[in-house]
Amino acid sequence: TRIAAFLGLGAMGGPMAAHVVRQMQRQGGRALVWNRTREKAERHAAEFGGEVVDLPGLAEADVIFTCLPTSAEVDEVLDGVADGLKEGATWVDCTSGHPEAARRQAARLVERGVAFLDAPVSGGTSGAQAGTLTVMVGGDAAALGRVRDSFAFAGKVVHVGDVGSGFAVKAVNNALLAVTLWATGEGLAALARSGVNLGAALEVINASSGRSNASQNLIPARVLTREFPATFGLGLLAKDAGIAADVVREARASAPVLMQVEALMRAAATVIGADEDHTAALRLIERMNATEIK
Ligand code: NDP
């Protein structure tokens, strides 16, 4: 019997794990679920039917998925279980983690005969629910081939390079999200101060070359409505921008805009709140300009 485990049933991990559980049920395998706060795992199992386990229960798993806030929490969990994993198992970390941590974790697991793939995802909580996430995978292509069928939450899976490259691509993608979100906010604040109707301005921008996911989706649905629904935390986006800055430094690349966006996201998370939705970063721009983006 094939056994898949999913660790970390948060905003992303919860719906991703539900797809893995349903797939294992269809295929006659077993699905194990674990969450630091156990009640969340019990609620998940009651709704979708996985088996709640303690960390030692992972010894049986063939494939182990993690989706935790940062690589630091993955390290904590690994400390508790690395020695008890089954030889030949594959650890698939869907956290938006750090490339350097991925290389260290892979080296540690390979000693136990366990493969490690960094496999962060994009598509947000709606993509996790729909099972249409894009997965960017770093690590051994043959190891990916062996577990690719278990990515029940994925619409698209792209092998991007050696271990750590998945995390690097994810960090750069999210730094680009931060740049477009922040810069569009700056532009709209300036237009608001000029007396322009922002709905009309966005109608133009979204039919023009300045458009982005921020201008087309995030700002109309979350900022103009003043709802800022917390699906992706501002603190997590600041963390991703920080990883992107580390990637830039390690590559000795020149990327002044990407380096600045880390400072801006950290400032926004500090002033506005790390647990607020990432789009609430624009509340800092509103304060800087004594205006509202609405
Ligand atoms: P959440 O805050 O919703 O969930 C975090 C999860 O991590 C919870 O299960 C939490 O457990 C667990 N956790 C926190 N600290 C620890 C710890 N010390 N030890 C063990 N478990 C811990 O985060 P998201 O689901 O939003 O994000 C998860 C990852 O996915 C992040 O890396 C994020 O950047 C990335 N991501 C998020 C997206 C989004 O739209 N939200 C989109 C794409 C990627 P507990 O229930 O006990 O608190």
Side-chain angles (χ1 to χ4, degrees):
T1 316
R2 193 168 168 76
I3 305 181
F6 206 108
L7 284 55
L9 308 173
M12 292 298 288
M16 288 167 72
H19 286 286
V20 172
V21 170
R22 280 191 292 259
Q23 185 190 55
M24 285 295 128
Q25 287 164 345
R26 281 196 303 273
Q27 297 180 349
R30 286 171 59 200
L32 316 178
V33 291
W34 178 88
N35 194 72
R36 177 182 61 172
T37 308
R38 193 187 166 95
E39 299 83 77
K40 220 186 257 183
E42 276 158 5
R43 275 202 303 277
H44 195 279
E47 186 172 352
F48 302 104
E51 302 167 40
V52 180
V53 287
D54 294 321
L55 289 176
L58 296 177
E60 293 185 285
D62 301 297
V63 54
I64 298 130
F65 293 98
T66 33
C67 190
L68 302 177
T70 74
S71 290
E73 289 80 24
V74 177
D75 275 335
E76 273 179 43
V77 172
L78 257 176
D79 282 341
V81 301
D83 292 343
L85 297 173
K86 178 162 148 183
E87 200 177 329
T90 305
W91 190 292
V92 182
D93 186 17
C94 299
T95 304
S96 299
H98 201 293
E100 199 260 325
R103 290 190 287 269
R104 192 168 31 72
Q105 290 158 347
R108 175 177 182 182
L109 285 170
V110 84
E111 289 173 18
R112 318 284 323 169
V114 173
F116 176 93
L117 299 169
D118 46 309
V121 298
S122 67
T125 53
S126 57
Q129 275 146 17
T132 56
L133 294 172
T134 297
V135 193
M136 51 220 91
V137 186
D140 180 45
L144 172 60
R146 288 193 293 273
V147 295
R148 167 67 186 84
D149 286 348
S150 303
F151 290 18
F153 43 78
K156 187 185 193 66
V157 179
V158 184
H159 182 245
V160 293
D162 291 342
V163 66
S165 341
F167 288 160
V169 171
K170 176 66 187 174
V172 168
N173 177 76
N174 278 25
L176 296 176
L177 158 64
V179 167
T180 52
L181 178 63
W182 183 270
T184 307
E186 285 187 1
L188 292 176
L191 290 172
R193 286 181 63 91
S194 313
V196 173
N197 175 288
L198 297 188
L202 277 170
E203 189 181 342
V204 172
I205 290 166
N206 287 335
S208 307
S209 44
R211 70 179 178 271
S212 63
N213 182 53
S215 70
Q216 291 182 298
N217 299 312
L218 296 174
I219 292 173
R222 300 181 183 222
V223 180
L224 297 196
T225 59
R226 315 308 292 162
E227 285 175 7
F228 305 98
T231 69
F232 175 42
L234 182 48
L236 292 176
L237 183 57
K239 172 263 300 178
D240 293 336
I243 297 171
D246 285 348
V247 169
V248 168
R249 266 188 296 268
E250 182 164 337
R252 297 184 166 275
S254 175
V257 173
L258 295 189
M259 298 307 275
Q260 280 202 9
V261 86
E262 178 193 5
L264 293 168
M265 291 303 118
R266 291 219 182 278
T270 302
V271 174
I272 305 297
D275 292 334
E276 299 292 320
D277 189 59
H278 64 302
T279 56
L282 271 56
R283 286 195 191 272
L284 179 54
I285 297 175
E286 293 180 334
R287 288 210 210 163
M288 290 160 65
N289 288 281
T291 191
E292 280 198 330
I293 299 171
K294 67 172 190 201

